[in-house]
Protein backbone atom coordinates (compact mmCIF):
# COMPACT_ATOMS: atom_id res chain seq x y z
CA UNK A 1 0.00 0.00 0.00
CA UNK A 2 1.51 3.34 -0.95
CA UNK A 3 1.62 6.14 1.53
CA UNK A 4 3.33 9.44 1.96
CA UNK A 5 7.03 9.52 2.73
CA UNK A 6 6.39 12.22 5.32
CA UNK A 7 7.69 11.16 8.68
CA UNK A 8 8.09 14.53 10.33
CA UNK A 9 8.86 13.25 13.80
CA UNK A 10 8.88 10.18 16.01
CA UNK A 11 5.13 9.56 16.39
CA UNK A 12 4.57 9.74 12.63
CA UNK A 13 7.56 7.51 11.95
CA UNK A 14 6.52 4.92 14.54
CA UNK A 15 2.89 4.68 13.49
CA UNK A 16 3.53 4.79 9.72
CA UNK A 17 6.07 1.98 10.17
CA UNK A 18 3.36 0.02 11.97
CA UNK A 19 1.04 0.55 8.99
CA UNK A 20 3.72 -0.88 6.71
CA UNK A 21 4.31 -3.87 9.01
CA UNK A 22 0.58 -4.59 9.19
CA UNK A 23 0.19 -4.23 5.42
CA UNK A 24 2.98 -6.76 4.93
CA UNK A 25 1.34 -9.21 7.35
CA UNK A 26 -1.99 -8.89 5.54
CA UNK A 27 -0.34 -9.65 2.19
CA UNK A 28 1.46 -12.62 3.74
CA UNK A 29 -1.78 -13.88 5.32
CA UNK A 30 -3.61 -13.76 2.00
CA UNK A 31 -0.89 -15.83 0.34
CA UNK A 32 0.30 -15.56 -3.21
CA UNK A 33 -1.16 -18.81 -4.49
CA UNK A 34 -4.41 -18.83 -2.53
CA UNK A 35 -2.83 -20.67 0.39
CA UNK A 36 -3.80 -18.71 3.48
CA UNK A 37 -1.12 -18.21 6.12
CA UNK A 38 -3.10 -18.55 9.35
CA UNK A 39 -0.17 -17.52 11.58
CA UNK A 40 0.33 -14.31 9.61
CA UNK A 41 -3.41 -13.63 9.88
CA UNK A 42 -3.30 -14.12 13.66
CA UNK A 43 -0.27 -11.81 13.88
CA UNK A 44 -2.09 -9.27 11.72
CA UNK A 45 -5.23 -9.43 13.89
CA UNK A 46 -3.27 -8.97 17.13
CA UNK A 47 -1.15 -6.19 15.64
CA UNK A 48 -4.07 -4.32 14.11
CA UNK A 49 -6.14 -4.40 17.28
CA UNK A 50 -3.20 -3.17 19.38
CA UNK A 51 -2.50 -0.45 16.80
CA UNK A 52 -6.14 0.69 17.00
CA UNK A 53 -5.94 0.70 20.80
CA UNK A 54 -2.88 2.97 20.67
CA UNK A 55 -4.75 5.39 18.43
CA UNK A 56 -7.97 5.28 20.46
CA UNK A 57 -6.43 5.34 23.95
CA UNK A 58 -3.27 7.39 23.43
CA UNK A 59 -3.11 9.45 20.24
CA UNK A 60 -6.67 10.71 19.77
CA UNK A 61 -7.10 11.62 23.46
CA UNK A 62 -3.67 13.30 23.48
CA UNK A 63 -4.55 15.43 20.47
CA UNK A 64 -7.89 16.31 22.06
CA UNK A 65 -6.17 17.25 25.33
CA UNK A 66 -3.68 19.51 23.56
CA UNK A 67 -6.58 21.12 21.69
CA UNK A 68 -8.27 22.12 24.94
CA UNK A 69 -10.80 19.32 24.77
CA UNK A 70 -11.63 19.75 21.09
CA UNK A 71 -11.28 16.52 19.07
CA UNK A 72 -9.92 16.53 15.55
CA UNK A 73 -12.62 17.00 12.95
CA UNK A 74 -11.94 13.54 11.53
CA UNK A 75 -11.87 11.73 14.89
CA UNK A 76 -15.43 10.45 14.40
CA UNK A 77 -14.54 9.03 10.99
CA UNK A 78 -11.45 7.32 12.39
CA UNK A 79 -13.50 5.74 15.18
CA UNK A 80 -16.01 4.39 12.63
CA UNK A 81 -13.18 2.91 10.58
CA UNK A 82 -11.64 1.41 13.71
CA UNK A 83 -14.98 -0.20 14.51
CA UNK A 84 -15.24 -1.59 10.99
CA UNK A 85 -11.69 -2.99 11.15
CA UNK A 86 -12.27 -4.54 14.58
CA UNK A 87 -15.48 -6.13 13.30
CA UNK A 88 -13.65 -7.55 10.28
CA UNK A 89 -11.18 -9.19 12.66
CA UNK A 90 -14.03 -11.40 13.93
CA UNK A 91 -14.18 -13.10 10.52
CA UNK A 92 -12.17 -16.12 9.40
CA UNK A 93 -9.25 -15.70 6.99
CA UNK A 94 -10.82 -15.66 3.53
CA UNK A 95 -10.10 -13.70 0.40
CA UNK A 96 -13.19 -11.54 0.96
CA UNK A 97 -12.08 -10.74 4.52
CA UNK A 98 -8.64 -9.75 3.25
CA UNK A 99 -10.02 -7.73 0.33
CA UNK A 100 -12.48 -5.72 2.43
CA UNK A 101 -9.94 -5.17 5.21
CA UNK A 102 -7.48 -3.87 2.65
CA UNK A 103 -10.13 -1.57 1.14
CA UNK A 104 -10.88 -0.05 4.55
CA UNK A 105 -7.17 0.39 5.28
CA UNK A 106 -6.60 2.06 1.90
CA UNK A 107 -9.19 4.68 2.79
CA UNK A 108 -8.26 4.91 6.46
CA UNK A 109 -4.46 5.00 6.69
CA UNK A 110 -3.94 8.26 4.74
CA UNK A 111 -6.21 10.02 7.25
CA UNK A 112 -3.60 9.17 9.83
CA UNK A 113 -0.20 9.13 8.19
CA UNK A 114 -0.43 11.59 5.27
CA UNK A 115 0.63 15.20 5.76
CA UNK A 116 -2.07 16.93 7.78
CA UNK A 117 -3.21 13.63 9.28
CA UNK A 118 -3.58 12.52 12.87
CA UNK A 119 0.04 11.56 13.35
CA UNK A 120 1.31 14.91 12.11
CA UNK A 121 -1.21 16.71 14.31
CA UNK A 122 -0.02 14.72 17.30
CA UNK A 123 3.63 15.39 16.47
CA UNK A 124 3.01 19.12 16.13
CA UNK A 125 0.89 19.45 19.25
CA UNK A 126 2.91 17.45 21.77
CA UNK A 127 6.27 19.05 21.02
CA UNK A 128 8.44 18.43 24.09
CA UNK A 129 5.97 15.82 25.36
CA UNK A 130 6.81 13.41 22.54
CA UNK A 131 8.85 11.06 24.72
CA UNK A 132 5.95 10.65 27.14
CA UNK A 133 3.53 9.91 24.28
CA UNK A 134 5.95 7.40 22.74
CA UNK A 135 6.35 5.71 26.13
CA UNK A 136 2.55 5.41 26.43
CA UNK A 137 2.41 3.90 22.92
CA UNK A 138 5.15 1.40 23.77
CA UNK A 139 3.43 0.49 27.05
CA UNK A 140 0.13 -0.37 25.36
CA UNK A 141 -0.49 -3.99 26.14
CA UNK A 142 -1.71 -6.54 23.67
CA UNK A 143 -5.44 -6.57 23.08
CA UNK A 144 -7.14 -9.90 23.81
CA UNK A 145 -8.13 -11.48 20.51
CA UNK A 146 -11.00 -13.93 20.39
CA UNK A 147 -11.05 -16.77 17.90
CA UNK A 148 -12.69 -15.78 14.65
CA UNK A 149 -16.29 -16.80 14.18
CA UNK A 150 -17.63 -18.30 10.99
CA UNK A 151 -21.37 -17.72 11.24
CA UNK A 152 -24.04 -15.94 9.22
CA UNK A 153 -25.01 -13.90 12.30
CA UNK A 154 -21.48 -12.50 12.74
CA UNK A 155 -21.17 -11.87 9.00
CA UNK A 156 -24.45 -9.90 9.05
CA UNK A 157 -23.22 -7.89 12.03
CA UNK A 158 -19.92 -7.09 10.31
CA UNK A 159 -21.83 -5.99 7.19
CA UNK A 160 -23.91 -3.57 9.27
CA UNK A 161 -20.82 -2.09 10.94
CA UNK A 162 -19.15 -1.66 7.54
CA UNK A 163 -22.19 0.08 6.10
CA UNK A 164 -22.46 2.42 9.10
CA UNK A 165 -18.83 3.38 8.44
CA UNK A 166 -19.64 4.06 4.78
CA UNK A 167 -18.31 0.86 3.20
CA UNK A 168 -20.10 -1.63 0.97
CA UNK A 169 -21.02 -4.60 3.16
CA UNK A 170 -21.98 -6.60 0.07
CA UNK A 171 -18.29 -7.07 -0.71
CA UNK A 172 -18.30 -9.78 1.94
CA UNK A 173 -20.90 -11.83 0.05
CA UNK A 174 -19.70 -15.25 -1.15
CA UNK A 175 -20.32 -14.21 -4.77
CA UNK A 176 -17.48 -11.74 -4.37
CA UNK A 177 -15.15 -14.30 -2.79
CA UNK A 178 -12.98 -14.89 -5.86
CA UNK A 179 -13.13 -11.60 -7.74
CA UNK A 180 -9.51 -11.29 -8.71
CA UNK A 181 -6.57 -9.61 -7.08
CA UNK A 182 -7.07 -7.09 -4.32
Amino acid sequence: MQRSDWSGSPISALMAAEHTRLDDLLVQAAGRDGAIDVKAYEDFRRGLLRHIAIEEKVLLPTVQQYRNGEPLALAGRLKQDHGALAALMMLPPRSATFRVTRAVLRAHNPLEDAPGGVYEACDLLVGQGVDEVLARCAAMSAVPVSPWIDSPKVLASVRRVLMRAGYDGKLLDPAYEDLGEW
Side-chain angles (χ1 to χ4, degrees), residues 56-129:
E56 292 281 339
K57 295 178 180 182
V58 177
L59 298 183
L60 290 175
T62 296
V63 168
Q64 186 170 339
Q65 175 188 353
Y66 276 84
R67 291 170 48 107
N68 297 315
E70 182 70 28
L72 287 175
L74 53 101
R77 167 61 196 248
L78 295 175
K79 288 175 183 284
Q80 284 185 319
D81 283 356
H82 290 159
L85 289 163
L88 282 162
M89 295 303 94
M90 294 189 310
L91 298 176
R94 293 193 176 122
S95 62
T97 304
F98 300 140
R99 186 180 53 254
V100 176
T101 300
R102 190 162 173 95
V104 173
L105 289 171
R106 271 193 192 122
H108 177 80
N109 286 352
L111 300 174
E112 296 173 339
D113 62 16
V118 173
Y119 303 155
E120 181 179 340
C122 200
D123 282 325
L124 293 172
L125 288 168
V126 301
Q128 300 291 72

Side-chain angles (χ1 to χ4, degrees), residues 31-76:
R32 297 273 181 222
D33 56 1
I36 293 168
D37 183 334
V38 174
K39 178 167 179 351
Y41 183 58
E42 288 298 335
D43 291 346
F44 173 77
R45 291 173 73 221
R46 279 190 300 279
L48 179 64
L49 293 174
R50 182 178 179 275
H51 183 85
I52 289 170
I54 289 170
E55 293 171 353
E56 292 281 339
K57 295 178 180 182
V58 177
L59 298 183
L60 290 175
T62 296
V63 168
Q64 186 170 339
Q65 175 188 353
Y66 276 84
R67 291 170 48 107
N68 297 315
E70 182 70 28
L72 287 175
L74 53 101

Side-chain angles (χ1 to χ4, degrees), residues 1-23:
M1 201 172 301
Q2 283 190 322
R3 65 179 95 288
S4 165
D5 288 334
W6 190 87
S7 57
S9 75
I11 295 168
S12 295
L14 170 73
M15 298 304 285
E18 266 297 287
H19 282 178
T20 299
R21 185 182 76 80
L22 291 168
D23 289 345

